[in-house]
Amino acid sequence: MSLLQPKSVTFDIGGGRMVTIETGKMARQADGAVTVRQGNCILLATVVANKEPKEGQNFFPLSVDYQEKFSSAGRVPGSFFKREARLNDYEILTSRLIDRALRPLFPEDYLCDVQVLISLVSSDAEVMPDALACLAASAALAVSDIPIQEIISETRIARKNGQFIINPTRAELAESDLEFIIAATNKNIMMVEGEANECQEEDLVKALELAHDAIRIQIKAQEDLRDLVGSAVKREYTKPYRNEELYEKITAFAKDKMYAISSAASAKHERSDAFDALKKEVKEFLGEELPSEDKALIGHYFGELQYNVVRDMILNDRKRLDGRGTEDIRQLNMETDILPTPHGSSLFTRGETQSLTTVTFGSALDELLVESAFKSDYTKFFLHYNFPPFSTGEVKMMRGVGRREVGHGNLAMRSLKKMMPGNDYPYIVRVVSDILESNGSSSMATVCAGSLALMDAGVPVKKHVSGVAMGLITKGEKFAVLSDILGDEDHLGDMDFKVTGTRDGICGVQMDIKVDGLSMDIMRQALAQARNGRLHILDAMYACMPAHREDVKPHAPRMVKIIIDKEYIGAVIGPGGKVIQEIQRETGATVNIEEVNNQGEVSVFSASKDSLDKAVSWIKGLVAVPVVGDTYEGTVKSIKEFGAFVEFLPKKEGLLHISEISWKRLESMEGIFKEGDKVKVKLLDVDQKTGKFKLSRKALIPKPEMQPRPQQGEQQG
């Protein structure tokens, strides 16, 4: 009998593309482990959970890490240590997609540490592994005894030539006009993330419905595997201590006071201070004699009461924490060109959320390397988002960029990228958003500030892009869709729904849903309300900056791109890079050359226009074909007794014979020229055998008129 007893199920995701989920063969000491395979793409997902929560634990510690092994694509990592290092941005973003989908599956009172690890162990040139990663993670949980409440899956949907495709290939994705990754249970959409080329709201709804149908097939396959393994019984776990009588006491004492604070339409810190003061009153009311286990519950029950009071106020009274109506956008203020040195800048403020955003131009040497197991690629446009602790009035360690910052920056970047000029735009563009204040959707502030800063920099973006964050409160049949949510409304609400776009359509979406049974009718209302909010913000942005600057700012670097024949690439580079190094040294410009589409693409980059013009002229001269009959400004390089050698194009010299210098006969070259003199010459001929150039100066000088000879018999003198 074999030591390994694997069990598997196979299903079709469409178009005869088969996916196999297998368990029992690898990583058998994990609580749950599966492999998911499509084509040559294989993912290994494992999940392990502690049997007991840590002492004093009051939150759910879930960690999800997705990593691509370079060996999966037959590659060696490019790092110094030649091994996989910290997760790159793509892996972090994929980890976040899985985490956001899995987190709602666990019971609210489950506080044990759970670790989910997904590794790409074999890659396929056309199969996108991130679309299968959440399926693998959920399947590992499904075959384990870890107490999840439901099974989920995740799929990518794209649209190419008007046709929707589930889990498109890399080639299909490159030609698509929208793509969303969607996670769902059998009944409910849980998470959406993606981008589009200005799609309409109904296009998104259609994509959600089709993706959900595909996800149900994947969930059925996981259920079949679970039943095949026989692991339907979930483990018992220690539930945290609760005291309902204590909650009733806190409610009786603090409910009305909490409503008064919530309905006072106060600012964030004023409201926070009032809640802190009320919590202190609650502790004093309950007294010091309270058992220690009940003291530890005060914060939990205070938060639960706040959750219920604020939600009921919004649903019943249609009041929000800052006094706005459900569709109102907070006060807007925006400025451009506020920093003297960056190449573009803006300050965008919406209520108590503020982004200071800058744009910096770079040359081809500044391209960002985006590396995955499958390939290494370079990008010309990237955005970095920073969220310092002072933006929320807190003191925290500065430990570098966190996953949240990577995720928020990616949403803003992919939204703005839709309006960026094409690959022929010569500059590398870096956008940096520093969040100076935060109380609700700083990622949407980044989109707005980024759009303004790009226009301020003179980047020829087609249209402004804005974004707004939507919230949702539900209870039974009642619901309220909230525009431009506050941080507290995000925390207390049932949905965080960010939508970016232009006046003509949606560019980016990020949605997390925390409630069961969200209908498509509610989704349509949220999308319509988001569109109204987006258009309101866009009107203010166009009033601030109606269009991009016609030119980059005077202090911005200049760049020119020259397309040359492939055969001249070597001439510009020179032996061992000698020529291109000389150009850069003599002009001060930066020159980059590469072969693109069977042509030479030369990018010249300089902070000085004179420097740029000099380098461009030099390069054009190197690749110029001398034309017989054309006139050139040349430089005398050497002088011989029979004439002078003149460089009339870079690295191209011709002989200006003594007889071609002047109409007057010259006896010698003495005193005619000296080396370095500038002289205008005409190209008379090219020797077909030797390739030597024959130049003339006298051909550009009017021929003197001949004096008439005296007639015979005329008197001389």
Side-chain angles (χ1 to χ4, degrees):
M1 184 176 177
S2 171
L3 176 65
L4 305 178
Q5 297 292 321
K7 293 181 171 59
S8 66
V9 296
T10 300
F11 63 94
D12 188 344
I13 63 166
R17 295 170 298 157
M18 308 307 292
V19 174
T20 299
I21 315 174
E22 183 179 82
T23 188
K25 188 172 185 178
M26 296 186 186
R28 293 172 302 145
Q29 293 191 43
D31 290 330
V34 303
T35 58
V36 171
R37 177 169 187 164
Q38 181 189 342
N40 289 333
C41 176
I42 303 176
L43 291 156
L44 169 65
T46 63
V47 57
V48 177
N50 287 343
K51 299 294 191 293
E52 295 290 335
K54 292 175 183 174
E55 189 174 346
Q57 186 98 289
N58 60 1
F59 65 95
F60 174 44
L62 171 67
S63 63
V64 178
D65 288 301
Y66 169 83
Q67 186 175 43
E68 297 190 347
K69 306 291 185 182
F70 274 68
S71 57
S72 69
R75 299 178 63 205
V76 176
S79 68
F80 176 80
F81 296 103
K82 300 300 176 191
R83 69 177 297 163
E84 286 80 8
R86 66 178 291 276
L87 302 187
N88 60 37
D89 283 1
Y90 170 70
E91 291 167 322
I92 287 172
L93 292 168
T94 306
S95 299
R96 277 174 53 86
L97 289 174
I98 302 165
D99 184 302
R100 287 159 49 200
L102 293 184
R103 198 169 286 273
L105 301 184
F106 295 86
E108 285 188 10
D109 57 2
Y110 185 68
L111 304 179
C112 298
D113 284 71
V114 178
Q115 185 176 44
V116 180
L117 301 176
I118 309 99
S119 299
L120 177 67
V121 293
S122 178
S123 71
D124 187 298
E126 283 301 319
V127 177
M128 301 285 287
D130 57 350
L132 299 171
C134 189
L135 165 63
S138 178
L141 284 165
V143 300
S144 77
D145 65 346
I146 295 171
I148 55 168
Q149 298 167 304
E150 294 187 83
I151 293 174
I152 66 163
S153 195
E154 200 170 82
T155 193
R156 174 181 274 111
I157 186 166
R159 187 176 63 183
K160 176 186 172 186
N161 299 328
Q163 298 297 312
F164 284 97
I165 308 166
I166 298 296
N167 285 3
T169 64
R170 294 182 197 273
E172 288 170 333
L173 188 61
E175 298 176 11
S176 298
D177 65 353
L178 66 75
E179 64 125 336
F180 299 105
I181 285 189
I182 296 161
T185 65
N186 199 52
K187 294 181 180 178
N188 300 302
I189 301 290
M190 305 298 292
M191 189 276 302
V192 181
E193 174 113 11
E195 61 187 75
N197 296 342
E198 299 180 285
C199 79
Q200 301 307 300
E201 283 72 12
E202 200 56 40
D203 296 331
L204 174 55
V205 172
K206 180 68 172 176
L208 293 176
E209 292 173 336
L210 292 174
H212 203 177
D213 291 340
I215 285 170
R216 291 187 179 103
I217 296 171
Q218 299 179 18
I219 290 172
K220 177 66 167 58
Q222 294 177 63
E223 292 171 342
D224 291 345
L225 182 64
R226 178 196 62 194
D227 296 343
L228 198 61
V229 172
S231 57
V233 179
K234 298 302 183 182
R235 71 175 67 159
E236 295 293 325
Y237 61 93
T238 302
K239 293 178 173 58
Y241 169 72
R242 294 290 182 259
N243 183 342
E244 289 303 317
E245 186 180 341
L246 178 65
Y247 178 60
E248 289 171 8
K249 283 183 181 179
I250 293 173
T251 301
F253 176 81
K255 184 177 181 180
D256 291 343
K257 295 179 179 181
M258 186 166 285
Y259 179 84
I261 296 170
S262 302
S263 60
S266 53
K268 174 184 174 181
H269 287 293
E270 182 185 341
R271 186 169 60 248
S272 178
D273 291 343
F275 280 134
D276 288 343
L278 179 57
K279 186 189 285 189
K280 189 175 179 182
E281 283 185 49
V282 169
K283 289 179 179 178
E284 291 172 353
F285 163 73
L286 294 170
E288 290 296 324
E289 296 78 21
L290 204 66
S292 59
E293 60 268 25
D294 283 346
K295 285 182 180 178
L297 277 179
I298 293 174
H300 170 76
Y301 283 140
F302 188 87
E304 195 169 306
L305 178 63
Q306 184 180 0
Y307 175 86
N308 290 322
V309 167
V310 173
R311 288 167 62 88
D312 286 345
M313 180 186 76
I314 293 171
L315 285 170
N316 299 329
D317 304 338
R318 298 322 239 193
K319 276 186 179 180
R320 296 174 68 176
L321 288 167
D322 59 358
R324 281 181 293 148
T326 56
E327 297 193 33
D328 293 341
I329 306 297
R330 286 172 289 177
Q331 186 175 350
L332 300 168
N333 188 76
M334 52 199 78
E335 301 174 63
T336 58
D337 196 23
I338 64 165
L339 300 176
T341 307
H343 304 142
S345 62
S346 72
L347 182 69
F348 178 89
T349 308
R350 189 192 62 244
E352 295 172 301
T353 297
Q354 186 178 72
S355 169
L356 174 65
T357 294
T358 59
V359 169
T360 309
F361 292 130
S363 71
L365 301 176
D366 299 308
E367 287 184 326
L368 175 67
L369 174 63
V370 180
E371 194 166 36
S372 68
F374 175 69
K375 66 175 183 177
S376 298
D377 213 346
Y378 287 89
T379 181
K380 297 174 63 175
F381 174 68
F382 46 98
L383 183 149
H384 293 140
Y385 165 99
N386 300 313
F387 193 84
F390 67 76
S391 65
T392 53
E394 297 176 283
V395 177
K396 290 182 181 178
M397 291 290 291
M398 295 287 285
R399 298 186 182 275
V401 179
R403 290 190 176 192
R404 178 185 176 279
E405 289 167 291
V406 172
H408 280 35
N410 180 66
L411 174 61
M413 182 276 295
R414 68 199 307 185
S415 300
L416 293 171
K417 192 173 184 179
K418 295 298 178 183
M419 293 298 114
M420 288 292 289
N423 283 330
D424 56 344
Y425 188 61
Y427 289 104
I428 306 305
V429 180
R430 181 190 185 217
V431 180
V432 179
S433 171
D434 290 300
I435 302 304
L436 307 186
E437 286 185 65
S438 181
N439 183 17
S441 198
S442 52
S443 62
M444 297 298 91
T446 295
V447 172
C448 301
S451 185
L452 289 164
L454 286 167
M455 285 204 175
D456 178 54
V459 178
V461 289
K462 306 165 194 170
K463 307 168 190 174
H464 268 310
V465 182
S466 79
V468 66
M470 310 298 296
L472 176 70
I473 308 289
T474 60
K475 189 174 184 180
E477 296 298 314
K478 292 181 179 179
F479 72 91
V481 177
L482 309 178
S483 296
D484 182 20
I485 56 174
L486 303 171
D488 286 343
E489 291 171 339
D490 181 9
H491 174 66
L492 300 171
D494 297 322
M495 178 176 75
D496 177 16
F497 188 8
K498 301 181 179 77
V499 187
T500 71
T502 67
R503 284 173 169 166
D504 299 314
I506 294 170
C507 292
V509 171
Q510 186 180 89
M511 179 173 69
D512 292 293
I513 300 172
K514 314 164 195 173
V515 66
D516 288 342
L518 180 68
S519 71
M520 283 300 163
D521 287 339
I522 295 178
M523 176 66 69
R524 286 184 173 92
Q525 179 175 327
L527 282 167
Q529 207 165 304
R531 183 176 183 275
N532 292 337
R534 186 175 83 238
L535 294 177
H536 171 77
I537 296 169
L538 281 169
D539 286 344
M541 291 170 65
Y542 277 107
C544 174
M545 192 88 190
H548 64 81
R549 292 179 183 272
E550 289 301 314
D551 193 10
V552 298
K553 295 182 181 179
H555 63 276
R558 304 278 160 169
M559 180 175 280
V560 170
K561 186 176 284 187
I562 307 168
I563 304 300
I564 64 174
D565 288 339
K566 186 173 72 171
E567 63 187 86
Y568 287 112
I569 292 176
V572 176
I573 295 173
K578 182 180 178 182
V579 175
I580 198 169
Q581 289 171 13
E582 184 182 2
I583 296 171
Q584 293 183 123
R585 184 175 60 251
E586 294 296 324
T587 66
T590 299
V591 181
N592 186 70
I593 186 167
E594 56 185 330
E595 186 179 330
V596 179
N597 298 327
N598 215 31
Q599 290 181 308
E601 199 171 271
V602 186
S603 298
V604 187
F605 185 88
S606 177
S608 160
K609 188 176 185 303
D610 289 344
S611 164
L612 184 84
D613 291 345
K614 188 175 179 182
V616 168
S617 177
W618 193 326
I619 292 163
K620 285 183 175 179
L622 288 171
V623 302
V625 177
V627 177
V628 173
D630 279 5
T631 301
Y632 301 92
E633 181 79 34
T635 303
V636 176
K637 288 295 183 179
S638 61
I639 299 170
K640 307 294 183 185
E641 63 274 10
F642 51 83
F645 284 98
V646 176
E647 184 181 62
F648 63 98
L649 284 173
K651 307 302 179 185
K652 291 182 175 64
E653 292 184 12
L655 174 63
L656 177 59
H657 194 269
I658 190 171
S659 63
E660 291 293 335
I661 294 175
S662 170
W663 289 104
K664 180 182 176 182
R665 177 182 173 85
L666 300 177
E667 299 298 332
S668 75
M669 289 294 296
E670 188 175 344
I672 303 299
F673 294 124
K674 60 180 183 296
E675 289 183 10
D677 279 354
K678 299 293 183 182
V679 58
K680 196 169 275 189
V681 293
K682 182 176 182 178
L683 179 59
L684 294 181
D685 192 22
V686 182
D687 191 302
Q688 296 303 312
K689 291 184 179 179
T690 64
K692 292 181 179 180
F693 302 105
K694 182 180 179 183
L695 305 175
S696 173
R697 176 174 174 269
K698 77 177 185 182
L700 301 175
I701 302 172
K703 187 175 181 180
E705 291 185 11
M706 296 291 292
Q707 293 294 326
R709 291 184 178 181
Q711 293 296 321
Q712 192 173 12
E714 286 184 359
Q715 189 174 352
Q716 301 289 320

